[in-house]
Amino acid sequence: MSNKPTTLFDKVWDAHVVRRIEDGPDVFFIDRHFIHEVTSPVAFLGLESRGIKVMFPEHTFATADHNTPTVNQHLPVADPLSANQLKALEQNSAKYGISHWGLGNPKNGIVHVVGPENGITLPGMTIVCGDSHTSTHGAFGAIAFGIGTSEVEMVLSSQCIMQPKPLKMRINVTGSLGKAVTPKDVTLYIISQLTTAGATGYFVEYAGEVFEKMSMEGRMTVCNMSIEMGARGGMIAPDETTFAYINGRELAPKGEAWDKALAYWKTLKTDEGATFDKEYNFNAADIEPMITYGTNPGMGMGISKSIPKGADLKGGAATYDKSLNYMGFHEQDQMIGKKVDYVFIGSCTNGRIEDFRAFASIVKGRKKADHVTAWVVPGSHIVESQIKEEGILDILTEAGFALRQPGCSACLAMNDDKVPAGKYAVSTSNRNFEGRQGPGSRTMLASPLVAAAAAITGYVTDPRDLM
Amino acid sequence: MAYDKFNELTSTAVPLPIENVDTDQIIPARFLKATKREGFGDNLFRDWRYNADNTPKQDFVLNNPVYTGKILVGGTNFGSGSSREHAAWAIYDYGFRCVVSSFFADIFKNNAINMGILPVQVSPEFLAKIFSSIEADPKNQFTVSLPDQTITILSTGEKETFNINGYKKHNLLNGFDDIDYLQAMKEDIAGFAKTHAI
């Protein structure tokens, strides 16, 4: 080991390189692999056609989430295609000896929620899944990123993928966050500054006071959205907050193994003087509750402001008119006061207990607007249980909200939770692409607080007015 | 999944001068329910290509018979968003073998190569020239040469080089894939796993 100052990213990456190929990618070892029903079936078909086995089935974990109903999960899945995918996941997992948390399993939930809450996700690991929001797990100081189905097949068959090492970026946010400014607002703000392609080719480390003070749930929200600015992933150095979150979780190391792991985890930070290919500095005081007005996550703005002029945009000016036209908005419109038809709280971005606590803090003692359809979807059964145990369900019920069952739900609208064409949704999920929440749906991304304020008033509302 | 070899391709091209084309546009999530890798081309750009009643949208480029070819030319930041490899499958299944843009999202680029589609990244200026050439005459052809790493506008002879790492280039030229490579080094991987704690 040399004494050269090294980044957290380099420490973790370099510890996983099995072979460096000249003028090519690294053969990169994967510690944890998550699979779900949508992006894995073809990978298993590939294994079968080649006649190869799963090399380390104990390092792969299967959960059903993308394509599952969020009501009546005890009944057979009505859509035959969805049912077929769920069955394929179950059969493939059984055949190759992979642990499978299907519908009805008490550990079932969204892959990026259940990995951390069961202690599968740990600092210093490399974690992949056929889902771009795998970046979530970077909150623990892991290198975690989404892969395609061909790469799922590689991991199953060899526990490795072929990956060129990305460039390194550090994003520092210093100072203290203002009232009603949540981790979701921090990430939407950063993406609005960098644009939707601003970090493509990079792996991001988030650093500074704001992230140091942030809960693990908040850090997961931020790392989750790294892909929305093009980064493969984002990570935060593990600290006491991280260790306290992991300690005692079912699959986390225990006893002597814990002590050994902890000693290693404490070395996982960027050394003083280590350099990055690109570095950004932001001030927390510049961030207010955010909302998106366009059709990519980079088109976000402070909720009290008016829609920026196309000519002032850093990227995407050419498609600005197309975006606004799709949304039915105009340059310089105020977002506050726009009518809202649907509200969705949930997803791998904002489907954790802290998000429902925030949502409940606003709806408590108030009533849902009559014209709003609200989907309240926990990220997992464990989150669902917490919602009940903490009395949040009572608050929701009194305010006119019903709690659904866990899954990806309206984030990508593969199941029946679809926003109808032309309707407006305030959503705590991660993408506002055209038709993302159903053909013709119009999505405004925001935090759980902004979503709650919209659900109560029926219009885009500054949550600070209700606090 | 082993794929076709890619050497040189001369073809007309289909223009899609839209920035930030995301994978939800390339293939919407509701069409990801298959358990086999077949038929995704029918739903390529589904919501831009068809109305809600499944009638074709006349103003979308794939519905205009004037534009044909095996090369798809897109605006900057092509393929952003989801990691769904189905996006690459849909483009391949429709008949494209090469996508040209001035910038690609990372995961899409990997997925395309793993499917045997060549992503060609050109400068914004050269991209504009390609769009102009198609606009001037949709019958204009382009040659993409992987051995030379060049793309040429045949009507004017203008040419630009593109980057691809030597390993991937070798694979595409020979129709090899990463799984072949990894299978051949399994002993090394097993050895690594033994010494690698976690």
Side-chain angles (χ1 to χ4, degrees), chain A residues 363-368 391-403 456:
Chain A
V363 306
K364 188 176 184 178
R366 296 188 167 102
K367 291 283 179 204
K368 180 183 75 64
I392 294 171
L393 180 59
D394 299 331
I395 295 170
L396 293 172
T397 308
E398 272 170 39
F401 295 92
L403 185 65
I456 293 299

CSV table of all heavy atoms in Angstrom, one decimal, chain A residues 363-368 391-403 456:
chain,number,residue,atom,x,y,z
A,363,VAL,N,-50.2,16.1,7.2
A,363,VAL,CA,-51.6,15.7,7.1
A,363,VAL,C,-52.3,15.6,8.4
A,363,VAL,O,-53.6,15.5,8.5
A,363,VAL,CB,-51.8,14.4,6.2
A,363,VAL,CG1,-51.1,14.6,4.9
A,363,VAL,CG2,-51.4,13.2,6.9
A,364,LYS,N,-51.6,15.5,9.5
A,364,LYS,CA,-52.2,15.3,10.8
A,364,LYS,C,-53.2,16.4,11.2
A,364,LYS,O,-52.9,17.5,11.1
A,364,LYS,CB,-51.1,15.3,11.9
A,364,LYS,CG,-51.6,14.9,13.3
A,364,LYS,CD,-50.4,14.8,14.3
A,364,LYS,CE,-51.0,14.3,15.6
A,364,LYS,NZ,-50.0,14.1,16.6
A,365,GLY,N,-54.4,15.9,11.5
A,365,GLY,CA,-55.5,16.9,11.9
A,365,GLY,C,-56.1,17.6,10.7
A,365,GLY,O,-56.9,18.5,10.9
A,366,ARG,N,-55.7,17.2,9.5
A,366,ARG,CA,-56.3,17.9,8.3
A,366,ARG,C,-57.0,16.8,7.5
A,366,ARG,O,-57.0,15.6,7.8
A,366,ARG,CB,-55.2,18.5,7.5
A,366,ARG,CG,-54.5,19.7,8.2
A,366,ARG,CD,-53.5,20.4,7.2
A,366,ARG,NE,-53.1,21.7,7.8
A,366,ARG,CZ,-51.9,21.9,8.3
A,366,ARG,NH1,-51.0,20.9,8.3
A,366,ARG,NH2,-51.5,23.1,8.8
A,367,LYS,N,-57.6,17.2,6.4
A,367,LYS,CA,-58.3,16.3,5.5
A,367,LYS,C,-57.8,16.3,4.1
A,367,LYS,O,-57.5,17.4,3.6
A,367,LYS,CB,-59.8,16.6,5.4
A,367,LYS,CG,-60.5,16.3,6.7
A,367,LYS,CD,-60.8,14.9,7.0
A,367,LYS,CE,-61.5,14.7,8.3
A,367,LYS,NZ,-61.3,13.3,8.8
A,368,LYS,N,-57.7,15.2,3.4
A,368,LYS,CA,-57.3,15.1,2.0
A,368,LYS,C,-58.3,15.9,1.2
A,368,LYS,O,-59.5,15.8,1.4
A,368,LYS,CB,-57.2,13.7,1.6
A,368,LYS,CG,-56.8,13.4,0.1
A,368,LYS,CD,-56.9,12.0,-0.3
A,368,LYS,CE,-58.3,11.5,-0.5
A,368,LYS,NZ,-59.0,12.1,-1.6
A,391,GLY,N,-48.3,4.7,14.9
A,391,GLY,CA,-49.6,5.4,14.9
A,391,GLY,C,-49.8,6.3,13.7
A,391,GLY,O,-50.7,7.1,13.6
A,392,ILE,N,-48.9,6.1,12.7
A,392,ILE,CA,-49.0,7.0,11.5
A,392,ILE,C,-50.2,6.5,10.7
A,392,ILE,O,-50.9,7.4,10.1
A,392,ILE,CB,-47.7,6.8,10.6
A,392,ILE,CG1,-46.5,7.5,11.4
A,392,ILE,CG2,-47.9,7.5,9.3
A,392,ILE,CD1,-45.2,7.2,10.8
A,393,LEU,N,-50.5,5.3,10.7
A,393,LEU,CA,-51.7,4.8,10.0
A,393,LEU,C,-53.0,5.5,10.5
A,393,LEU,O,-53.8,5.9,9.7
A,393,LEU,CB,-51.8,3.2,10.1
A,393,LEU,CG,-53.0,2.6,9.4
A,393,LEU,CD1,-53.0,3.0,7.9
A,393,LEU,CD2,-53.1,1.1,9.6
A,394,ASP,N,-53.1,5.6,11.8
A,394,ASP,CA,-54.3,6.3,12.4
A,394,ASP,C,-54.4,7.8,11.9
A,394,ASP,O,-55.5,8.2,11.5
A,394,ASP,CB,-54.2,6.3,13.9
A,394,ASP,CG,-54.2,4.9,14.5
A,394,ASP,OD1,-54.7,4.0,13.8
A,394,ASP,OD2,-53.6,4.7,15.5
A,395,ILE,N,-53.2,8.4,11.8
A,395,ILE,CA,-53.2,9.8,11.3
A,395,ILE,C,-53.7,9.8,9.9
A,395,ILE,O,-54.5,10.6,9.5
A,395,ILE,CB,-51.8,10.4,11.4
A,395,ILE,CG1,-51.4,10.5,12.9
A,395,ILE,CG2,-51.7,11.8,10.7
A,395,ILE,CD1,-50.0,10.9,13.2
A,396,LEU,N,-53.1,8.9,9.1
A,396,LEU,CA,-53.5,8.8,7.6
A,396,LEU,C,-55.0,8.6,7.5
A,396,LEU,O,-55.7,9.2,6.7
A,396,LEU,CB,-52.7,7.7,6.9
A,396,LEU,CG,-51.1,8.0,6.8
A,396,LEU,CD1,-50.4,6.7,6.3
A,396,LEU,CD2,-50.8,9.1,5.9
A,397,THR,N,-55.5,7.6,8.2
A,397,THR,CA,-56.9,7.2,8.1
A,397,THR,C,-57.8,8.3,8.4
A,397,THR,O,-58.7,8.6,7.7
A,397,THR,CB,-57.1,6.0,9.0
A,397,THR,OG1,-56.2,5.0,8.7
A,397,THR,CG2,-58.5,5.4,8.7
A,398,GLU,N,-57.5,9.0,9.5
A,398,GLU,CA,-58.3,10.1,9.9
A,398,GLU,C,-58.3,11.2,8.9
A,398,GLU,O,-59.3,12.0,8.7
A,398,GLU,CB,-57.8,10.7,11.3
A,398,GLU,CG,-58.4,10.0,12.5
A,398,GLU,CD,-57.7,10.4,13.8
A,398,GLU,OE1,-57.4,11.6,13.9
A,398,GLU,OE2,-57.5,9.5,14.6
A,399,ALA,N,-57.2,11.4,8.2
A,399,ALA,CA,-57.1,12.5,7.2
A,399,ALA,C,-57.7,12.0,5.8
A,399,ALA,O,-57.7,12.8,4.9
A,399,ALA,CB,-55.7,12.9,7.0
A,400,GLY,N,-58.1,10.8,5.7
A,400,GLY,CA,-58.8,10.3,4.5
A,400,GLY,C,-57.9,9.6,3.5
A,400,GLY,O,-58.2,9.5,2.4
A,401,PHE,N,-56.7,9.1,4.1
A,401,PHE,CA,-55.8,8.3,3.2
A,401,PHE,C,-55.9,6.9,3.5
A,401,PHE,O,-56.0,6.5,4.7
A,401,PHE,CB,-54.4,8.8,3.4
A,401,PHE,CG,-54.1,10.2,3.0
A,401,PHE,CD1,-54.2,11.3,4.0
A,401,PHE,CD2,-53.7,10.5,1.7
A,401,PHE,CE1,-54.0,12.6,3.6
A,401,PHE,CE2,-53.5,11.9,1.4
A,401,PHE,CZ,-53.6,12.9,2.3
A,402,ALA,N,-55.7,6.0,2.5
A,402,ALA,CA,-55.6,4.6,2.7
A,402,ALA,C,-54.2,4.1,2.4
A,402,ALA,O,-53.5,4.6,1.5
A,402,ALA,CB,-56.6,3.9,1.7
A,403,LEU,N,-53.7,3.2,3.2
A,403,LEU,CA,-52.4,2.6,3.1
A,403,LEU,C,-52.5,1.4,2.1
A,403,LEU,O,-53.3,0.5,2.3
A,403,LEU,CB,-51.8,2.2,4.4
A,403,LEU,CG,-50.4,1.8,4.5
A,403,LEU,CD1,-49.4,2.9,4.1
A,403,LEU,CD2,-50.0,1.2,5.8
A,456,ILE,N,-53.4,17.7,0.7
A,456,ILE,CA,-54.3,18.4,1.6
A,456,ILE,C,-55.1,19.5,0.9
A,456,ILE,O,-56.3,19.7,1.0
A,456,ILE,CB,-53.6,18.9,2.8
A,456,ILE,CG1,-53.1,17.8,3.7
A,456,ILE,CG2,-54.4,19.9,3.7
A,456,ILE,CD1,-54.1,16.8,4.2
